Amino acid sequence: MDISSKKILVCDDSILARKQLMDAVKEIADGATFIEGKNGSEAVDLYKSEKPDLVFMDIVMPEKDGTTALAEIREYDKDAVIIIVSSVGTQEQLKKAIQLGAKDFIQKPFEKNQIKEIIELRLGGK
Amino acid sequence: MYTQFLGNYLLQKGIVTKEQLFNAMSRLPQTHIKLGTIAIHEGLMTANEVDECLYVQTREDKRFGEIAVERGYLSDEQVNQLLAMQTPEFLLLGQNLVEDGVFSYEELERIMFDYRSEAELYDLSLDVENQEAVEAIISKFFLMAEIPPNELNIMYLELMFNSLIRFIGEDFTPLTPMVIEEFPVTFGVSQNIFSDHEFETHIDCDRETAIAFASRYAKEDFNEFNEYIVASMEDFLNLHNGLFIVNVSNQLSKDISLSPPEVIEDGILSGPNKCVDFPVEYPFGTVHLLVCF
C-alpha cells in the first residue's frame, strides 16, 4: 500500500515504542512521513504546525498526558484522527478517550494486524 | 488475568459501536448481576438454558434460581455459590449489552469464550515447578513483610512473574525476597502507582544485564548500553503496570493511575513504608524487582 502523501504523528515518551510503531506501519505501507513527539505538549504543537493525517498517541506521558492532548487537538480540529495506543486500557481511560473523540483505542502490546486495519481504514483509499 | 478490558475488545472486534458501549458502561455503577449471567460465565448453564428459564419466569412468579433448580440445570448448592460470588465488572458490562439488545445471551456466551482465549493471560501455567516456587515466594513475602495479603497485592505480584515469563522468558530462578529500608541503585527504572495508597515499583540491574534484558524484551540484538536499553526497561515496567490496572478495571471498580516511568541512576531507593526486593536470576544476570509500599 502506498501512503506517500500522508503524514503520521507518533507520540510516545518511549523511543522504543515510537520505533516499534513506525516499523509496524512501514511494514504495511510505504512512503508516509513520520513526525515524533515525546509528550502531550509536543503532540499539540506538532499537530498545529504539521497537520498530520493520523495521530498515534500514548496516554501516560510526562508534562501533558495523552487524554489532555487529545482534548486540545480535537478542540483545535474536530476532524483530527487520533488513535490511542496505551498500556492502560481501563474502563475509565476508554470512556474518556471515546468521549473526547478518539477514533480507536489499542491496548499495548499491540498486534501488527491492528495497525494494518487502522492504516487501511484511515489512510487507504483516500 | 486479562490483557485487555472487555469494552476495548468488543469495540475492536466491531461487535459494539462506541455509542452502545458508552451507554452500557455508564450504567455499570447501578448494575446488579443476574444469576443467569454468572451461571453462563461459570460454565454451569448454557445460554439456551438461561433463555428458557427467563421465558418461564415471564409466566410463573418464581425466582430464576428456583426455576433453574426445578429444571435440573443447577443444584441448590450451586445457586448459593453463584449468589455469593464476587462479580467481575466485565461480566456486568456484557449483561448490560444483552439487556440493550446489542447481542443475545447465546452470543455473549461465544464472545466470552473468544475473549477468554484471546485476552486471558494464563496464571503461570507454563511450568508447574516454577509456579509453585513463585506462589511459595509470594506467600512468604507477605508473611515476612507483615503486609496483609489482600487481593490486589497478590494479583500485582503474580502478574509481575507472569510478565517476566511472557515478555522476557521463563528461564529464571526466583531468589529469596528481602524486606529492606533502602536499596542502593546502580541503574534502574521506577514507576509510581496511585490507588487507595501510593506505591512504587523499581527494576534494577547492572548495565550488562540491562542490555540482555532489553534485547529479549524488544526482540532486538542490542550490543551497547544506550537510550533503547533504557526505553526497553521503562516499557517493560509500564506494560506490566498497565496490564495490572486493566485487570483491576476488569475485576473490580477501582480507579488506579500511573505516573510516567523514570530512570534512576546511582541513587538510593526508599519508600514511605516498606520496600521489598524480589531478585530473579536469569542466565544473563540478576534482576531486582523492588516494590516500595
Side-chain angles (χ1 to χ4, degrees):
Chain A
M1 197 167 119
D2 182 15
I3 48 170
S4 304
S5 57
K6 306 297 180 188
K7 225 183 248 185
I8 301 174
L9 170 61
V10 179
C11 196
D12 197 305
D13 54 332
S14 160
I15 185 174
L16 181 75
R18 294 199 301 273
K19 180 184 177 293
Q20 287 179 331
L21 193 59
M22 289 190 290
D23 285 349
V25 175
K26 283 175 200 161
E27 244 181 64
I28 300 151
D30 307 314
T33 309
F34 288 100
I35 319 152
E36 296 179 53
K38 294 192 287 295
N39 59 50
S41 305
E42 286 188 13
V44 177
D45 293 345
L46 286 167
Y47 190 88
K48 289 179 179 170
S49 61
E50 302 280 342
K51 308 274 186 316
D53 301 279
L54 181 64
V55 182
F56 287 106
M57 191 151 60
D58 188 17
I59 291 180
V60 181
M61 290 190 290
E63 285 183 52
K64 189 175 277 177
D65 69 21
T67 37
T68 312
L70 165 67
E72 288 180 21
I73 294 173
R74 291 276 300 185
E75 200 176 313
Y76 170 78
D77 175 6
K78 65 173 176 41
D79 298 322
V81 182
I82 303 171
I83 315 295
I84 296 289
V85 186
S86 174
S87 61
V88 198
T90 64
Q91 195 208 142
E92 272 313 301
Q93 295 293 359
L94 187 62
K95 207 158 107 182
K96 218 190 255 179
I98 292 172
Q99 262 176 328
L100 294 173
K103 296 286 182 196
D104 246 306
F105 195 115
I106 298 180
Q107 170 77 39
K108 283 183 191 172
F110 64 79
E111 282 166 29
K112 280 183 190 146
N113 68 338
Q114 292 176 296
I115 304 299
K116 184 169 182 267
E117 278 169 23
I118 282 168
I119 296 290
E120 280 170 355
L121 178 69
R122 306 293 171 191
L123 298 181
K126 271 188 190 174
Chain B
M1 292 189 198
Y2 293 90
T3 58
Q4 195 177 18
F5 176 61
L6 176 68
N8 193 338
Y9 173 86
L10 295 173
L11 208 57
Q12 251 160 41
K13 294 274 166 190
I15 299 169
V16 301
T17 65
K18 282 178 192 171
E19 290 70 29
Q20 288 168 333
L21 179 62
F22 198 73
N23 262 331
M25 282 203 299
S26 61
R27 298 203 314 278
L28 281 177
Q30 299 95 44
T31 307
H32 297 285
I33 196 72
K34 291 189 171 160
L35 200 62
T37 314
I38 198 152
I40 292 175
H41 178 249
E42 292 299 313
L44 295 175
M45 286 177 81
T46 66
N48 282 335
E49 289 165 354
V50 169
D51 280 334
E52 184 191 318
C53 293
L54 287 172
Y55 175 73
V56 173
Q57 219 180 353
T58 60
R59 324 202 124 225
E60 295 175 27
D61 186 23
K62 283 181 183 165
R63 290 179 175 198
F64 182 93
E66 238 173 292
I67 299 168
V69 171
E70 270 175 18
R71 306 209 153 223
Y73 298 140
L74 295 176
S75 67
D76 284 324
E77 199 185 327
Q78 284 172 328
V79 170
N80 289 334
Q81 274 172 1
L82 291 175
L83 289 172
M85 246 172 212
Q86 197 184 11
T87 318
E89 187 154 293
F90 68 89
L91 207 53
L92 293 174
L93 182 66
Q95 181 179 288
N96 279 357
L97 288 161
V98 171
E99 280 175 3
D100 291 346
V102 176
F103 42 69
S104 65
Y105 266 118
E106 203 178 334
E107 283 162 317
L108 176 68
E109 194 179 28
R110 188 178 43 79
I111 290 166
M112 285 298 170
F113 178 80
D114 292 344
Y115 172 57
R116 276 183 154 179
S117 36
E118 281 182 43
E120 194 171 3
L121 191 65
Y122 290 98
D123 296 348
L124 301 162
S125 57
L126 296 170
D127 178 340
V128 177
E129 243 171 67
N130 225 350
Q131 178 176 353
E132 282 170 3
V134 166
E135 278 171 8
I137 277 183
I138 290 172
S139 51
K140 190 175 169 190
F141 150 69
F142 284 115
L143 205 70
M144 266 176 36
E146 293 172 359
I147 294 172
N150 65 34
E151 195 183 0
L152 227 53
N153 287 343
I154 291 175
M155 190 198 276
Y156 187 80
L157 291 171
E158 284 189 356
L159 187 63
M160 184 178 264
F161 287 101
N162 259 314
S163 298
L164 280 181
I165 290 171
R166 185 172 172 211
F167 299 115
I168 310 299
E170 58 177 312
D171 52 339
F172 64 85
T173 309
L175 306 176
T176 308
M178 280 173 52
V179 180
I180 44 177
E181 295 285 317
E182 290 178 330
F183 184 85
V185 171
T186 46
F187 159 75
V189 293
S190 295
Q191 189 167 36
N192 288 312
I193 300 174
F194 306 93
S195 170
D196 306 340
H197 62 285
E198 182 183 338
F199 65 100
E200 183 179 3
T201 306
H202 178 86
I203 300 178
D204 201 87
C205 56
D206 62 49
R207 284 169 176 76
E208 285 304 309
T209 305
I211 294 171
F213 187 94
S215 298
R216 282 193 179 194
Y217 174 75
K219 296 186 182 70
E220 301 216 13
D221 213 358
F222 296 126
N223 296 311
E224 52 171 346
F225 189 85
N226 57 24
E227 55 187 347
Y228 283 101
I229 307 300
V230 179
S232 295
M233 305 280 290
E234 287 183 326
D235 271 23
F236 170 79
L237 184 57
N238 189 48
L239 198 56
H240 159 69
N241 282 333
L243 289 174
F244 168 65
I245 288 180
V246 170
N247 264 291
V248 175
S249 169
N250 249 327
Q251 302 280 348
L252 325 152
S253 320
K254 261 189 183 290
D255 198 18
I256 298 186
S257 60
L258 280 182
S259 64
E262 263 181 273
V263 176
I264 302 184
E265 282 183 88
D266 305 318
I268 297 282
L269 192 76
S270 64
N273 194 2
K274 276 176 178 158
C275 289
V276 183
D277 176 16
F278 285 88
V280 294
E281 201 169 277
Y282 271 105
F284 54 79
T286 305
V287 181
H288 294 269
L289 306 162
L290 289 128
V291 187
C292 290
F293 292 90

